[in-house]
Amino acid sequence: MTVWNALICVTFVMTFVVAVGRVNGALPANYMRMSANQKQDVLWKQVLRNPYPMNRLPTVGPTAANFSKLFVPAFLKTSFTWTGDEMPPGRARILHNYGVVCKVDLDVFSDSPFSGVFSTGGVGVLRLSLAQLSNDSFPVGVALKILVDGRNSQNFVLVNTVEGQGTNRNFFAKTMRNIFPPAGPYGRELNPAEKAFQQAIFENLPGGPLDHPADFNNVPLYEQAAVGSDGRNVSTVVAPYEISLRPNPALAYDENDPADFRRHLVAIPAGTLLYTVAVKRTLDEDDGTVIGQLTSRSAMVASPYGDEVLFFNHAKKAWQA
Ligand SMILES: *[C@@H]1O[C@H](CO)[C@@H](O)[C@H](O)[C@H]1NC(C)=O
Ligand SMILES: *[C@@H]1O[C@H](CO)[C@@H](O)[C@H](O)[C@H]1NC(C)=O
Ligand SMILES: *[C@@H]1O[C@H](CO)[C@@H](O)[C@H](O)[C@H]1NC(C)=O
């Protein structure tokens, strides 16, 4: 091999590593101090750096070694304690490993009686994913990150049920909530993964009873109500008990379409109303109050950055009246 050929090879390998291998964006040193809009730009540049070609969407599931971590409370605990917008170094996303992301605006109506992000709204990123790729179930999940000026982001992780929608493959068939019914018949014994989650919440998180969620199927909303997207602390926190993202019915598609869900999602243009946002103030409220809407502000993109690096903290502080 000539020197010239060797050089071409090396350059090719390096280009490949830069373009495809480097998914870990390592945010700039001053990232935390940036405005919400600047942070959104930084994250979005990372997403756009190396999107998956649509004819080569990855489908490989997590390794057994990674999967076994779902039974380790100390591993699960990090979902609550890590507050960054990127994964802790070396951490793999085990569930919801494939999805698409887009930039979003959360617009909250000016008459919202709630505080913090439930009053200011904000800009952020939305990730739409499946807990796992399967032909037998369609376990939709949505993660919303509202970026905050100079402070940690505020995050929401929402599902309808963990089991999914059976064979209904329409991503927009069901309302997404922060509180979901435990899978299976009421009163059944928790499975080992659920038990590990309970242990992570009740034994591994520091603090008192209000410093952890009330249950493993309830990702609470106190923290998001305690700070606005302008970074200001709220003096009197008024937190909803439950949030629902109700899909825009116009986005529904054939529930029997076997195509990869990501193909449907990337066809949704910027500026689309995705979800109407409704909340309940307390457990006893029967109907939710619509307080705003969530609109896409970019195309939806499938990328290794969105799948492997972007992180959505699970809020931990329990709801309070
Ligand atoms: C699983 O674990 C290996 C080794 O720790 C890691 O390299 C890989 O990226 C992980 N990811 C998934 C999704 O299994
Ligand atoms: C779903 O079914 C299709 C068509 O039979 C197959 O190609 C694909 O691998 C299946 N996917 C999974 C996750 O089992
Ligand atoms: C805002 O609240 C956070 C968290 O409770 C606290 O650490 C911080 O000191 C507060 N900042 C101001 C300016 O009060």
Side-chain angles (χ1 to χ4, degrees):
M1 189 191 288
T2 65
V3 173
W4 182 238
N5 277 343
L7 198 61
I8 289 173
C9 276
V10 168
T11 311
F12 177 78
V13 168
M14 285 173 64
T15 309
F16 185 79
V17 167
V18 169
V20 178
R22 203 164 114 205
V23 294
N24 198 333
L27 299 171
N30 63 339
Y31 176 79
M32 186 55 76
R33 294 193 302 278
M34 288 179 174
S35 71
N37 282 302
Q38 288 170 325
K39 290 183 200 185
Q40 191 191 39
D41 286 345
V42 168
L43 296 178
W44 196 246
K45 280 202 181 94
Q46 296 281 4
V47 169
L48 291 185
R49 204 150 94 181
N50 58 350
Y52 292 123
M54 287 309 288
N55 60 353
R56 276 192 282 140
L57 290 172
T59 57
V60 181
T63 61
N66 283 331
F67 202 75
S68 68
K69 293 188 179 132
L70 288 182
F71 308 101
V72 180
F75 178 86
L76 300 173
K77 170 190 155 188
T78 304
S79 304
F80 298 92
T81 55
W82 185 261
T83 54
D85 291 334
E86 291 188 341
M87 286 272 190
R91 187 178 178 89
R93 200 191 300 279
I94 302 169
L95 293 175
H96 295 278
N97 47 347
Y98 296 124
V100 303
V101 291
C102 67
K103 296 200 280 187
V104 284
D105 275 347
L106 172 63
D107 294 308
V108 176
F109 305 145
S110 57
D111 61 355
S112 164
F114 299 93
S115 63
V117 165
F118 301 99
S119 162
T120 62
V123 301
V125 290
L126 183 72
R127 183 165 185 270
L128 306 100
S129 64
L130 292 183
Q132 57 186 15
L133 300 181
S134 158
N135 287 328
D136 309 323
S137 70
F138 198 72
V140 170
V142 163
L144 171 63
K145 177 181 294 298
I146 297 299
L147 296 157
V148 177
D149 295 342
R151 303 269 296 269
N152 287 332
S153 62
Q154 292 298 326
N155 299 265
F156 301 83
V157 288
L158 310 153
V159 297
N160 181 261
T161 69
V162 281
E163 291 165 315
Q165 308 173 176
T167 55
N168 184 335
R169 298 179 64 81
N170 168 16
F171 198 93
F172 300 102
K174 304 273 182 180
T175 294
M176 299 287 116
R177 299 188 187 89
N178 66 308
I179 301 174
F180 51 93
Y186 183 75
R188 73 167 168 82
E189 204 182 331
L190 298 185
N191 68 41
E194 290 166 338
K195 279 188 185 153
F197 229 84
Q198 289 285 47
Q199 202 183 330
I201 290 168
F202 294 124
E203 295 167 34
N204 293 47
L205 286 178
L210 291 176
D211 295 317
H212 61 73
D215 214 334
F216 75 95
N217 61 334
N218 177 337
V219 188
L221 305 174
Y222 185 87
E223 287 158 63
Q224 305 92 323
V227 64
S229 55
D230 53 9
R232 289 195 198 164
N233 283 351
V234 165
S235 50
T236 306
V237 176
V238 184
Y241 176 78
E242 184 184 81
I243 186 170
S244 303
L245 295 189
R246 300 176 178 168
N248 176 356
L251 297 175
Y253 56 86
D254 179 5
E255 64 175 72
N256 297 312
D257 188 333
D260 188 302
F261 74 105
R262 292 167 286 187
R263 294 187 171 280
H264 284 284
L265 298 185
V266 298
I268 298 172
T272 300
L273 169 64
L274 301 174
Y275 294 96
T276 299
V277 181
V279 298
K280 288 184 188 175
R281 172 71 178 114
T282 67
L283 169 65
D284 292 330
E285 221 171 274
D286 288 330
D287 300 313
T289 308
V290 173
I291 60 160
Q293 53 191 32
L294 195 63
T295 307
S296 69
R297 291 296 174 214
S298 73
M300 298 203 177
V301 177
S303 69
Y305 186 81
D307 286 345
E308 295 170 30
V309 184
L310 204 57
F311 180 82
F312 294 86
N313 168 259
H314 287 48
K316 56 186 179 303
K317 280 193 190 298
W319 175 82
Q320 298 174 47

